[in-house]
């Protein structure tokens, strides 16, 4: 998930990165759920991704760690 998110983000494919986040959000435990809005407009997606990048990466990292421990 991290690789897919980073790749889409680094290539400027913010809408694709948003879709990755929506898919990932379904898999996250309730306490790690991300508050996501519809991100169909590329400018809105870019703004959302850039403003929340550290929180998004934290949620991905936490999820991966939980998977490794279970």
């Amino acid at each position: 998930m991290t690789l897919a998110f980073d790749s889409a983000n680094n290539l400027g494919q913010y809408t694709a990165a948003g879709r990755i986040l929506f898919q990932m959000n379904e898999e996250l435990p309730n306490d790690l759920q991300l508050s996501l809005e519809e991100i169909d407009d590329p400018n809105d997606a870019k703004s959302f991704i850039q403003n929340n990048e550290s929180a998004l990466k934290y949620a991905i990292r936490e999820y991966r760690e939980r998977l490794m421990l279970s």
Side-chain angles (χ1 to χ4, degrees):
M1 282 186 263
T2 302
L3 182 59
F5 174 75
D6 285 341
S7 296
N9 192 19
N10 291 336
L11 292 172
Q13 301 296 321
Y14 299 106
T15 304
R19 287 188 190 117
I20 291 167
L21 293 173
F22 277 118
Q23 292 172 350
M24 180 194 77
N25 206 39
E26 294 175 359
E27 301 297 322
L28 292 175
N30 288 338
D31 63 321
L32 288 178
Q33 288 283 317
L34 303 168
S35 176
L36 301 173
E37 300 172 7
E38 280 293 324
I39 314 175
D40 290 329
D41 182 290
N43 291 326
D44 290 342
K46 178 179 180 179
S47 176
F48 178 83
I49 302 277
Q50 289 178 337
N51 291 337
N52 297 290
E53 188 170 359
S54 62
L56 297 169
K57 288 185 176 188
Y58 173 79
I60 293 170
R61 187 172 46 252
E62 285 293 309
Y63 178 60
R64 183 177 56 222
E65 287 177 11
R66 288 183 186 191
L67 288 175
M68 291 170 51
L69 294 174
S70 58

